[in-house]
Amino acid sequence: MPTEPKPEKRPSELEKNVLGKAAKGGELVKKTKTTDLVEDICYKAAGQDVSDLHNMTIEDEFAGKVFPRAEYRGQVRNLRNGNPNWVNIEHPEQSNGLTNAQRAELMDVYGENALTPPDEKSELQKFVEQFTGFFSLLLIVGGLLCMIAYGADTEGTENLFLGLVLFIVVTITAIFTYQQESASADMMKKFQKIGATKQAVTIEGQTKTIEVTEIVPGDVFRLNNEVRPPCDARILKASNDFAVIEASLTGEPDAIKKGPKTSEKPDERALNQKNIVVAGTEITAGEAWCMAIATGDQTVMGRNFALMLDTKALKDDTPIRKEIDRFVEIISAIAIALGVVFLIVNIMVVGVSVEAIVFTIGIIVANVPEGLLATVTVSLALTAARMKDVMVLVKNLEAVETLGSTSVICSDKTGTLTQGRMTAVRAVVNGELLSTYPMATASWGAKPPSGADKTPFYELQKCATFCGSAEFKGPEDRPSIGGAPSVPWERLEWDDRAMIKGDPSEKAILVFNEQRLAQFENFGVNGFSKDSEDASAKTNSILPVSFEGMKNCLLAKEGWEEGRQWDAKNIAMNSSRVAAARREYPCIDRLPFDSKNKWMAVTTDLRKLNGEDDYVTWIKGGSDVVYDFCTHTYADGKVVELSAKNRRDFAENNVLLASQGLRVFAFAKVVVDTLKGKSVAKADAPAYFGESMLKPDNWAPGEMNEEGKVMEAGTPKPITVAGKPQIPLVRPDIAARRMKETGDSEHYFVPKVVFLGLLAMQDPPRPAVPRAVQICRQASIGVVMVTGDQPTTAAAIARDIGIITAAGKTEDDVVMEKLKSEPGKSLADFKTDRERVLNSLKTEEKDSISAMAVEGSRISKWNPKAMDSNWTKALGYCWKEGLVFARTSPTQKLLIVQHFRIKESEGGPEKIVAVTGDGANDAQAVTAADIGICMGIAGVEVTREAADMVLMNDNFASIVDGVLEGRLIFDNLKKSIAYTLSSNIPEISPFIVFILLRVPLPLTTVLILCVDLGTDMVPAISLAYETKEKDIMKRAPRTKTDNLVTERLISFSYFQIGVIQALAGFFSFFSVMYSEGYAPEDLPGSGELAGYFTPGGPPFGGFSVQENLKSQSMAQTAFFCSIVIVQWADILICKTRRLSLFDQGMKNDQLNFGLFFETALACFLIYVPGVSVIFGMQKLRFVYWLPAIPFSILIFTYDETRKWIIRHHDDVLDFFRWQKEKGLMRNEYNEQLYWEGYAQEGAGKDWPTDEDWTEEEKKAHQQKTESLSKAAKRIEKAARWLDRFSYW
């Protein structure tokens, strides 16, 4: 339990008033570190999970903030209900607000209203850290050894030159990496500035606009849906429609109504308090006057931020960093071991000498792939640049490769997989189910379906137009975000334009109407034709609006100079037809939507239309609720009574839409043709719909409704009472009852309520997402949806985008299929019969369930720390037909990530997990994942800080681009390593032969360095530019055993290609020596170790000492050239790991230049006067270049053949690896079982065990196997052989 914080001073009267007037003494705790604050918060919450801050009570949240724990409960109650003397609770807009002196005192206590960033390192420290990587240190040590060698032997400058080159390589790569990371950090700072930076606050009785960071607890300000709450605040006064979406903190997508009243339950969790708004949430409608109660680190968002930083500090290194460190360890061990061995041998042969030490240093340096560090840096930098082109900001360059290793992607739904906005996607009219999105291909697109009765379609559009309150915001260009270009407002689609009123569904209906009303002649505008105003022009629109009305609805664009106006075409095209229609066909009465009744109604004056109805009441609401009091519908353009078939069709369509996770609204109209029980002339209508409608009857104190419930006094009555029709008679059942009870046919009549149809809303998938998910499936990457939405909604979207495949069946799918097969049952019975059918499923029916939609409430019952049968079963669906987690809390999302990462040794899947998130509730899971991905537009600061990369366009498809780039990085690094290591054998083998056979030294350390730091450097780096192989996204993610350096890569580079290169070098060396007069059989025992071929030694072979040295130098130069020539073939075969060069092509211009460069550099070193002397080379005759060419051709031919075998014998190799992975040992009777088991596992079935086979079956298989035994053994041997030489 945390200790009591040391008191600093007693609270002032001001500080007491901020939280209420009940503070009587106590010690004031100043702003502390957030980790201590979290301990204080949780002091009273015994056993509470610290990772789930949102489950804290309001009292827990503000405990220990200003007052000691012993008093905090009373203070928090006053926080919610107190009446500070600077606030007018009844009329907060008239409040005096804090004084400047009070604000300064509070600022001193609480600090700025900003999240304290993690400790920033100085730029110098960041730069110096680039030199501390394991690989950088290895090169620095190599440089120091060269300097030591130069100090020991100052006659030659080659070691000095080498040391300087190594230092330069490390420095350049450090500068390059530092610049890349600095650019990413600068971009992140730009993202953090997105959003409002100023807020109007009441100070000393005046409204002043201040920086958001200057807000202090106690400040009074007004909030609306144009800004997000800048801090945690108490609501003092709010409009009736004030609502907040808290998805960024809770994951809940629905708007929650808030107001000044406190919760009836004082211990209810903070976010459930009706009078509290929290920083970072989104206001969807209304406005409210608020008082700040928590700022900066003390907000709910601030505590999430603190926990995220603590978790991030414990995060492990990236996989690529581990791989590079592992590679360096291996290479260092090899280099040091070889160096020590050669040093010992040298000492044993010639004794201790400076030459022996220099020789050893040369061996060590020769084994270090100096170009790899530059290759890694260039690869990561190139990828970062490419990722920026696809709108992905890489904060940590190494994270891209991690994404390429990812085997599971846990993705949010809203805004990532979907477009982040509700859209009308389905409609039901005349009993027919229609698509409405996208409009270009929908069955109800720009116009109703051809041949259909258009009346109900047009009436539904009118109803949807008038039954709504959503409005577009004034014209504002979309700003540039994250490098994306800004877009002029007039070029934005309707659904891309900002709105100032309405919840997401209201906005969807508004866009639905705007798109279709614009399809009529002249854009649905009277007084406009072609591109100009034309008073005589008429439109055929169902709701024609005037050009003048459109003009009045279109404001000037923000930033325009005074007097500038829109031209006529822009007015007709871009002004809101819905807004103009609502003005020209006014609402004369309205019954607002009520969350309990779940419907709304408006009465509009349609006399300007000159139609059959002068006044019409329109109804919109929940499909079940509205349809229940509908009496009629349209058929062939006429109003007819609803039939049993109509009702059955409605029930089936309604269940079908709901099962797809759609939000369904019903639309109806009240036909007023029986007013007062008789036909009414149009002339009588105005008297009936008179001004009294604007003054509706209200419920009196204690008055009860039809259900006997006492209603709130002063609120409007929902139907006609006492002869004053408000929303007239939309409930036929109540109207008929009242008419019967009162006998008053003068004021009561039973109306016809005509059902018009259904509109179904959905946040539709992003267009590129289905293809991206398909690519992930091909790449064996499991995509899991983790959302706070309903399971039906989540499963429907998952099916649309391919997370649940077309063949996938969830529990609900199986239940629906069985319901349809039962006599007398239909989809209409789904809700009532679901549990019954589910419990009655047979074993084979349960086995047909191949996809899973798991609700969060089920996860809470599973083991939170280890794998159990529930987790094993659920996670297994990820690689079957699909897996969705719905209604998940932040803690549950974290558990999902952690269980995917549990090690295989502990029974888990041990996957590399990528997680997307945008809200503060996602920060913990994003931090815990191997790679965290945040949304750039919707993401909050906490999650952006936690993430390794940011999707600047919030698009899931960009993640797939990142996976490709990550795999490409790993591929190219392996290619570069394979290329670099191949030359180590021809570089080291001359020393081995030199010592063992005592021949003249075939290759000097200087020439080795000419290869490593000269001819090989550019080709090795050029592999970073190599484009992807065609099958890169058809491979499974690399496993934990698929390292940068594997046994197969060592086999390939050292024992296959390296050996051939060494043979080429020796062949060239001995060929030149033979051509110069030295027979190969005479050379063993005649080298430097025997005293020959040294400046002070005896002559050899009948030639002078100088001639000996010149011939040897000539042969050494030929050996150097042979390495260059065989590296031509090596660079070509390393372009691909699996595909043929003829498939990949020669499109890498940098690599083509590398081929030219290494050849040109070799020629420069050999033939330029003076240069050859420095490096101990001789000018070669052309014929001396030729011996190595056959070996180069051999390397290319050998590797193409090897790759062909790999591509055409995958089944043999895969079987062998599967057998090895399973730990199987072949015997006489079960070889055939293994083959059949492998085939079953590939089909997604469980592998059979011995218990699954009867004795008869075993005998039958044994007979089969005996005839195949010899062949099987040969196959196994071939597979083992091929595995050593296969895909590296």
Side-chain angles (χ1 to χ4, degrees), residues 692-705:
S692 64
M693 296 186 67
L694 303 177
K695 301 176 182 178
D697 282 344
N698 295 330
W699 293 104
E703 188 174 1
M704 294 184 293
N705 66 0

Side-chain angles (χ1 to χ4, degrees), residues 9 72 135 235 246 318 344 354 650 708 754 1090 1235:
K9 69 172 186 178
Y72 84 96
F135 205 4
I235 300 172
E246 297 174 336
T318 60
I344 294 172
V354 172
F650 164 80
V754 183
W1235 275 101

Side-chain angles (χ1 to χ4, degrees), residues 574-632:
N574 293 303
S575 184
S576 172
R577 268 152 285 276
V578 171
R582 289 173 183 170
R583 291 187 183 186
E584 297 190 25
Y585 307 99
C587 166
I588 57 176
D589 191 28
R590 172 184 295 273
L591 179 67
F593 180 86
D594 182 87
S595 59
K596 295 180 180 178
N597 292 334
K598 297 189 182 303
W599 59 276
M600 66 165 293
V602 296
T603 299
T604 52
D605 182 349
L606 299 181
R607 287 176 292 175
K608 285 181 65 176
L609 280 180
N610 296 319
E612 295 179 2
D613 303 313
D614 288 347
Y615 297 90
V616 175
T617 296
W618 309 97
I619 307 168
K620 180 191 78 173
S623 53
D624 292 333
V625 176
V626 171
Y627 196 82
D628 280 348
F629 51 80
C630 287
T631 59
H632 292 70

Side-chain angles (χ1 to χ4, degrees), residues 23-88:
K24 299 178 180 178
E27 304 298 337
L28 176 67
V29 180
K30 277 214 174 211
K31 186 176 180 182
T32 61
K33 292 183 179 179
T34 40
T35 49
D36 297 333
L37 179 63
V38 172
E39 292 177 353
D40 291 342
I41 294 165
C42 299
Y43 183 82
K44 294 287 183 179
Q48 181 171 288
D49 186 354
V50 180
S51 66
D52 192 359
L53 287 176
H54 313 299
N55 288 329
M56 294 179 187
T57 66
I58 187 73
E59 297 180 351
D60 292 325
E61 290 207 27
F62 297 101
K65 186 176 298 181
V66 175
F67 302 98
R69 299 185 182 93
E71 300 183 12
Y72 84 96
R73 288 188 176 274
Q75 306 313 323
V76 174
R77 290 193 180 95
N78 284 305
L79 166 71
R80 296 197 298 244
N81 302 303
N83 187 5
N85 55 22
W86 64 85
V87 177
N88 186 329

Side-chain angles (χ1 to χ4, degrees), residues 674-680 688 720 723 729 735-750:
T674 54
L675 200 58
K676 299 182 183 179
K678 61 182 180 180
S679 298
V680 180
Y688 189 83
T720 302
L729 313 171
R737 189 191 317 153
R738 284 192 171 174
M739 184 184 295
K740 182 178 179 179
E741 291 173 351
T742 63
D744 184 0
S745 59
E746 179 72 15
H747 299 104
Y748 298 104
F749 64 90
V750 180

